[in-house]
Amino acid sequence: MKLIIVGGVAGGASAAARARRMDESAEIVMFERGEFISFANCGLPYHVGNVIQERSSLLVMTPAKFKARTNIDVRVKHEVIAINREQKTVTVRDHHSDQTFEEGYDKLILATGSSPVVPPIPGGDDPDVLPLWTIPDMDRVKSRVDENAERAVVIGGGFIGVEVAENLRERGLDVSLVEMLPQVLPNLDPEMTQPLSETMRDNGINMYLKRKVSSIKRPETNTTVSSQLNVVLDNDTTLTADLVMMAIGVRPNSSLAVEADLETGEQGHISVDEKMQTSDPDIFAVGDVVETPDLVCNSKTPTPLAGPANRQGRVAADNACGREAVHEGTLGTSVVKVFDWTAGNSGVTEKTLHQNGIEYRKIYIHPKSHAGYYPGADMVSIKMLFNDHGDILGIQAVGRDGVDKRIDVTATAMKAGMKVQELADLELGYAPPYGSAKDPVNFAGMVATNVLEGKTRVLHWNNIPDEAYLLDVRENDEFDAGHVEGANLIPLGELRERLTDLPTDRPIAVYCRIGLRGYLAERILQQHNFDAYNVSGGWTTYQMIRNMDADFSDNGFPHSPASPADGSNNKKDHPNTDNEKQSVGTWQAKQKLDVTGMSCPGPIVQVRKTLEELQIGERLYVIASDPGFSKDIESWCESTSHKLVDKQQTQDKIHALVEKSSAPAETAEAEVSQPVNKQNSVALIVFSGDFDRVMAAFILANGFAAAGSKVSMFFTFWGLNALRKDQQPAVKKDFLSRMFGFMMPRGARRLALSKMHMMGMGTKMMKHVMANKNISTLPDLISDAKSQGVEFTACDMAMNVMGMQRSELLEDVDSVAGVADFVGTAQKSGTTLFI
Ligand code: FAD
């Protein structure tokens, strides 16, 4: 029997070695197009990070050693370029000599793996945008780091991107990670990844979640092309880097199979049966290039992981050698290190269940990794998904200790077809340094069983009924340190005495820190005939959901957490340092104002309006994305005497906590009787009728007004066009005035750019760009200015010259006056601008 194997790493090398063990007499040839076989691709990021110091440790087998041990004809730098099924041959190109030749087979195993996806973005194919996939890739990346690269951008937040980012950071680089989803590690549900993103930030990685890369450019000067790259994001942020790593996903290397007409699935993976046999009985396929049954959803799915590739290689080899072997499918069990955290999962996520319309139940628990009294115990947060029959559909766990063990135990139970009820009774090793008498896996099984048996009725933060009475059963201090808005505190120890404080006509949603005291309270209440429920995972789960980076509904995750705790938002933005993290999360404010997406002067105008509704001493928590807001709010508070209690910047947001002071109100009243404060009064002469100049005038006017200045705008000559109505009334005019009226733009909407108008195209483009950036339109700015009390005066003389009448101007114009009037205004002003 002659067996040919294409691909010599995880699946291929494993198949080759097994085939030899099964059949000593078989002729086995393994073609590998690269230079290396059987290398440890999973270790590549850690050699870049110098965690695995010796490069040679990654080269598990050399071709010579492999050949000596297995008597397999290993041919590196040999690429199979075609499968000729009828002749049962493969066409091979020898990259040493560039010759091609045919090689016959009885059985063929394809283990061609996958390749990193190159996105269709400008610059995405730049040779210096590097993947980390092979040993040569790793050598290039490592030499860049060794050559003192200082800044790196990692594109993609899957496990490879996360590992690469961590290792580059460990080497001291300034690392930014860009991910288009609102979370890292999409194999987990978003709330479970929240502590992971946070720990990445805490370790100094600049996180750009929910951001796409729009282009990668190499800055050019007159003489040289830079060795740096600029990564431009969809919000126009530019990240400059010495090293750009691309890790946005993989695509199967299945073109050989496709060209040979083997059956493939929707995403191009080779279809195989449980023997790893393709649609051609003499051809098998394994690893990243195939799709196999998803053991939970019963659909076909690719699982690009090393474990399945190795096991499938063994099964394919057995069958190729005439022995029956079966691979049932995959659970997608995985584990990943994220600095001092570990995240793992097995089975499917809630997102997937939701997307596939599969009914499920879920619980969150947060037990200790081992006995709490033994040093080093830490919280393991576990989410378990199961159905009404007790089938385990998925587990996810994150924490600093003991995560991998709980994932592996549960994955084993899932593969064995065990139910959640059986997890409760699993006999697991226990001693204080390693576990608890009730291991977290037992505990998950017990809670899930309680749910199924109706001994506890759980609610989740996204399905608490509006009418529910929210009961916090923690201690006073815990409550004071933060609680869900509207919650009522009755510590568990006082509950029995205070039953009369509780409503009997509506559901009671009980929560505690992690769910245990909540369950005890729920049991007490239920036995006193209250309609009580326990909120799964309590305050700890609430914080994971509240702190998520973004709205996950567009990610297929049903999410609408209960109202914000402690008056802050449920979409907390994550600062980069511990210090900042604590303070933003604990800010107490009467009201919250989210002006994300608004551009200057919108945010300041909104702040002023909102503060008007607050009482003196009350605080406003503002979140803005406009970079200018950071300085604006400082100056605005300074000029209005409101107190800027705190201001913090996260990677793309500015958080400000402003306390209303009495000073602005007093000032406003004082204005009536006292002379206007010269410093606090501004006069703008709008002479130009160019769109950009008039925009600038109104942006300034709004900014000054929002800062408490009295603003007067004097419109003369071409500037008057900004005040013309869109629809001109019929007015009697002489010939010249009619001509003027006809030739001049009618109103703010029709003004043209001072430069690059290009027959209207330039102005249109400018308006389009401004709309995309959420900059107010000129008519909006005019109306904002008006509502802020900006005074509009039309120049009498210029109106005369241009044959304009009052009825042609907006109602917003306060007066038509001459230059003398304006001189008076200008004299009283601290600032006078001519535009
Ligand atoms: P591969 O191991 O990629 O081997 C395919 C081989 O086929 C390649 O060497 C290729 O050159 C060769 N080939 C392709 N076409 C031809 C052709 N026409 N002719 C000849 N040769 C050809 N998985 C985990 O489970 N845990 C991890 O921690 C983990 N970490 C990873 C970290 C990195 C940086 C990377 C890149 C991957 C990681 N993986 C991890 C994924 C895991 O390595 C893959 O799932 C696994 O290697 C797939 O095995 P495979 O045999 O299908 O493909």
Side-chain angles (χ1 to χ4, degrees):
M1 198 268 292
K2 181 168 178 184
L3 172 64
I4 288 185
I5 296 168
V6 189
V9 188
S14 148
R18 174 73 174 176
R20 171 55 73 225
R21 293 196 294 274
M22 293 302 103
D23 189 344
E24 184 60 19
S25 63
E27 184 186 350
I28 306 175
V29 184
M30 186 168 82
F31 292 116
E32 165 56 54
R33 68 180 172 193
E35 204 180 321
F36 303 92
I37 61 156
S38 198
F39 63 88
N41 21 21
C42 310
L44 302 182
Y46 298 99
H47 183 53
V48 171
N50 276 347
V51 178
I52 300 171
Q53 301 228 331
E54 293 302 324
R55 179 177 182 270
S56 56
S57 320
L58 300 174
L59 303 172
V60 183
M61 264 299 158
T62 61
K65 215 172 7 161
F66 197 71
K67 191 166 184 173
R69 267 201 200 167
T70 59
N71 189 26
I72 288 171
D73 184 1
V74 181
R75 297 196 220 165
V76 292
K77 293 202 150 195
H78 278 66
E79 180 171 8
V80 173
I81 53 174
I83 304 168
N84 318 300
R85 286 169 56 192
E86 282 188 6
Q87 298 83 21
K88 291 186 73 170
T89 62
V90 288
T91 310
V92 185
R93 173 165 293 130
D94 176 350
H95 286 296
H96 297 103
S97 61
D98 215 19
Q99 302 288 313
T100 57
F101 60 90
E102 304 280 306
E103 187 89 26
Y105 65 82
D106 297 312
K107 301 284 177 195
L108 178 66
I109 297 178
L110 301 176
T112 47
S114 53
S115 297
V117 170
V118 179
I121 50 168
D125 54 354
D126 188 295
D128 283 334
V129 175
L130 305 175
L132 182 58
W133 207 251
T134 60
I135 296 281
D137 290 342
M138 180 193 72
D139 292 340
R140 286 173 72 193
V141 175
K142 190 155 190 299
S143 68
R144 288 286 174 89
V145 178
D146 294 343
E147 281 159 16
N148 295 336
E150 287 178 358
R151 284 166 299 180
V153 173
V154 178
I155 305 172
F159 76 88
I160 295 181
V162 166
E163 287 178 351
V164 168
E166 172 179 338
N167 279 284
L168 291 175
R169 184 75 195 125
E170 296 290 9
R171 292 291 307 272
L173 272 75
D174 178 355
V175 181
S176 298
L177 184 135
V178 184
E179 163 59 55
M180 72 174 192
L181 293 175
Q183 67 173 100
V184 291
L185 302 178
N187 52 319
L188 301 181
D189 282 319
E191 76 284 18
M192 299 300 287
T193 67
Q194 188 278 329
L196 308 173
S197 314
E198 201 156 295
T199 204
M200 292 181 78
R201 282 192 186 90
D202 290 348
N203 280 283
I205 295 187
N206 311 306
M207 301 291 283
Y208 293 88
L209 298 181
K210 230 180 172 186
R211 283 276 156 256
K212 285 187 193 159
V213 172
S214 2
S215 63
I216 301 170
K217 294 179 189 156
R218 192 176 289 277
E220 274 183 45
T221 64
N222 286 343
T223 48
T224 53
V225 176
S226 168
S227 63
Q228 291 180 333
L229 289 169
N230 281 342
V231 179
V232 184
L233 309 187
D234 55 356
N235 65 349
D236 285 345
T237 302
T238 298
L239 307 171
T240 302
D242 307 303
L243 183 62
V244 177
M245 302 291 307
M246 186 65 80
I248 59 166
V250 295
R251 54 172 182 74
N253 294 330
S254 57
S255 56
L256 274 180
V258 171
E259 281 156 23
D261 262 345
L262 295 177
E263 219 172 85
T264 51
E266 272 174 23
Q267 299 169 53
H269 297 85
I270 304 175
S271 305
V272 289
D273 64 10
E274 56 182 13
K275 294 179 177 169
M276 306 312 296
Q277 205 163 30
T278 66
S279 50
D280 181 328
D282 292 321
I283 304 179
F284 298 81
V286 301
D288 285 9
V289 77
V290 301
E291 57 176 26
T292 55
D294 169 336
L295 292 176
V296 176
C297 292
N298 288 327
S299 51
K300 291 274 184 129
T301 186
T303 311
L305 291 169
N310 275 277
R311 298 196 312 277
Q312 292 163 3
R314 185 182 158 100
V315 169
D318 277 358
N319 287 303
C321 295
R323 295 166 60 96
E324 290 270 311
V326 162
H327 172 73
E328 288 171 353
T330 53
L331 288 166
T333 308
S334 76
V335 66
V336 60
K337 172 180 178 301
V338 187
F339 292 95
D340 57 344
W341 281 68
T342 304
N345 73 299
S346 186
V348 293
T349 57
E350 182 175 4
K351 275 181 300 198
T352 308
L353 292 169
H354 189 65
Q355 280 156 2
N356 286 293
I358 298 173
E359 296 276 320
Y360 63 91
R361 298 187 182 222
K362 64 175 173 180
I363 52 158
Y364 296 90
I365 57 167
H366 307 278
K368 286 273 191 304
S369 54
H370 57 250
Y373 54 81
Y374 187 87
D378 208 342
M379 188 185 277
V380 189
S381 291
I382 296 178
K383 176 177 185 176
M384 187 165 282
L385 298 151
F386 52 100
N387 64 17
D388 282 352
H389 309 292
D391 301 316
I392 311 162
L393 306 176
I395 177 169
Q396 298 162 49
V398 297
R400 289 190 199 84
D401 184 41
V403 166
D404 51 344
K405 170 160 117 168
R406 276 65 196 213
I407 292 293
D408 284 351
V409 168
T410 311
T412 308
M414 287 171 76
K415 187 71 196 306
M418 293 170 74
K419 309 262 180 195
V420 287
Q421 296 88 335
E422 291 168 275
L423 291 183
D425 197 32
L426 275 185
E427 192 176 328
L428 303 170
Y430 161 61
Y434 304 108
S436 306
K438 267 188 214 157
D439 188 86
V441 175
N442 297 137
F443 190 49
M446 289 169 191
V447 176
T449 305
N450 281 344
V451 169
L452 289 176
E453 292 176 352
K455 295 193 177 106
T456 179
R457 300 187 302 170
V458 292
L459 284 175
H460 296 286
W461 288 111
N462 62 349
N463 70 357
I464 297 176
D466 286 345
E467 71 277 14
Y469 178 91
L470 203 51
L471 177 62
D472 188 325
V473 292
R474 297 173 300 158
E475 297 302 312
N476 287 305
D477 289 347
E478 292 176 277
F479 186 85
D480 289 345
H483 57 267
V484 181
E485 196 174 78
N488 304 278
L489 174 69
I490 302 183
L492 181 64
E494 298 171 22
L495 189 61
R496 288 187 179 85
E497 288 80 56
R498 293 181 54 188
L499 292 177
T500 50
D501 293 357
L502 296 172
T504 51
D505 58 344
R506 53 190 173 125
I508 298 178
V510 188
Y511 77 91
C512 62
R513 190 172 68 87
I514 56 168
L516 185 57
R517 280 172 288 173
Y519 169 57
L520 302 177
E522 179 206 352
R523 295 298 304 151
I524 295 171
L525 294 177
Q526 275 185 15
Q527 291 174 60
H528 285 87
N529 298 323
F530 286 95
D531 185 17
Y533 300 80
N534 185 22
V535 184
S536 188
W539 174 248
T540 307
T541 304
Y542 177 81
Q543 282 183 303
M544 291 168 99
I545 291 176
R546 182 186 68 154
N547 291 349
M548 290 194 301
D549 280 279
D551 177 8
F552 286 87
S553 47
D554 55 351
N555 201 16
F557 180 71
H559 167 232
S560 77
S563 57
D566 53 47
S568 65
N569 187 19
N570 55 20
K571 288 198 274 176
K572 193 186 93 176
D573 294 287
H574 303 276
N576 261 330
T577 70
D578 258 335
N579 212 357
E580 290 172 342
K581 182 178 60 194
Q582 281 162 7
S583 45
V584 171
T586 54
W587 280 0
Q588 301 280 333
K590 176 72 182 169
Q591 203 166 327
K592 175 145 187 286
L593 175 67
D594 192 338
V595 285
T596 309
M598 272 192 190
S599 294
C600 172
I604 288 290
V605 171
Q606 294 305 317
V607 169
R608 188 190 57 74
K609 280 185 187 162
T610 315
L611 270 186
E612 272 169 18
E613 291 155 27
L614 300 191
Q615 303 294 318
I616 289 164
E618 288 181 341
R619 289 178 176 189
L620 177 66
Y621 174 21
V622 194
I623 299 183
S625 53
D626 180 17
F629 181 75
S630 182
K631 271 247 147 290
D632 284 356
I633 190 73
E634 272 179 22
S635 333
W636 185 82
C637 285
E638 213 175 287
S639 61
T640 56
S641 310
H642 290 302
K643 184 171 168 199
L644 183 58
V645 181
D646 202 351
K647 183 180 64 115
Q648 290 177 21
Q649 177 121 26
T650 57
Q651 80 267 28
D652 58 355
K653 300 242 170 66
I654 297 142
H655 306 252
L657 188 63
V658 180
E659 186 175 295
K660 177 164 176 162
S661 93
S662 58
E666 282 165 12
T667 309
E669 264 168 37
E671 271 174 13
V672 179
S673 54
Q674 288 170 18
V676 175
N677 170 0
K678 201 170 172 182
Q679 291 304 322
N680 209 17
S681 174
V682 179
L684 295 172
I685 308 160
V686 186
F687 169 81
S688 168
D690 294 330
F691 170 73
D692 37 354
R693 293 192 169 112
V694 175
M695 278 291 290
F698 276 100
I699 287 173
L700 286 170
N702 275 300
F704 275 118
S709 295
K710 178 172 171 15
V711 184
S712 307
M713 296 179 84
F714 185 74
F715 296 84
T716 184
F717 284 94
W718 314 114
L720 284 167
N721 289 322
L723 299 181
R724 291 183 82 199
K725 289 177 180 161
D726 285 351
Q727 300 292 328
Q728 289 291 300
V731 279
K732 253 190 158 181
K733 289 188 177 180
D734 59 31
F735 175 72
L736 271 179
S737 302
R738 271 213 314 279
M739 286 302 290
F740 256 128
F742 180 71
M743 289 187 307
M744 285 187 311
R746 255 174 280 152
R749 279 178 218 283
R750 295 192 174 84
L751 302 185
L753 270 182
S754 59
K755 290 195 172 67
M756 298 194 329
H757 177 56
M758 297 185 296
M759 318 258 293
M761 262 173 56
T763 305
K764 262 197 191 135
M765 271 164 58
M766 174 66 86
K767 287 183 179 173
H768 177 74
V769 171
M770 286 168 56
N772 281 349
K773 293 181 188 295
N774 281 322
I775 296 173
S776 304
T777 61
L778 182 50
D780 287 346
L781 285 173
I782 295 176
S783 106
D784 280 350
K786 199 68 237 164
S787 68
Q788 292 204 79
V790 173
E791 238 174 50
F792 298 165
T793 304
C795 172
D796 192 20
M797 183 271 298
M799 283 178 69
N800 267 335
V801 172
M802 301 170 88
M804 249 182 227
Q805 299 190 14
R806 174 67 184 88
S807 58
E808 290 176 67
L809 300 181
L810 299 174
E811 307 306 333
D812 291 336
V813 174
D814 297 281
S815 59
V816 176
V819 73
D821 181 79
F822 178 71
V823 167
T825 309
Q827 280 173 342
K828 284 189 247 155
S829 304
T831 309
T832 304
L833 301 172
F834 182 90
I835 295 171

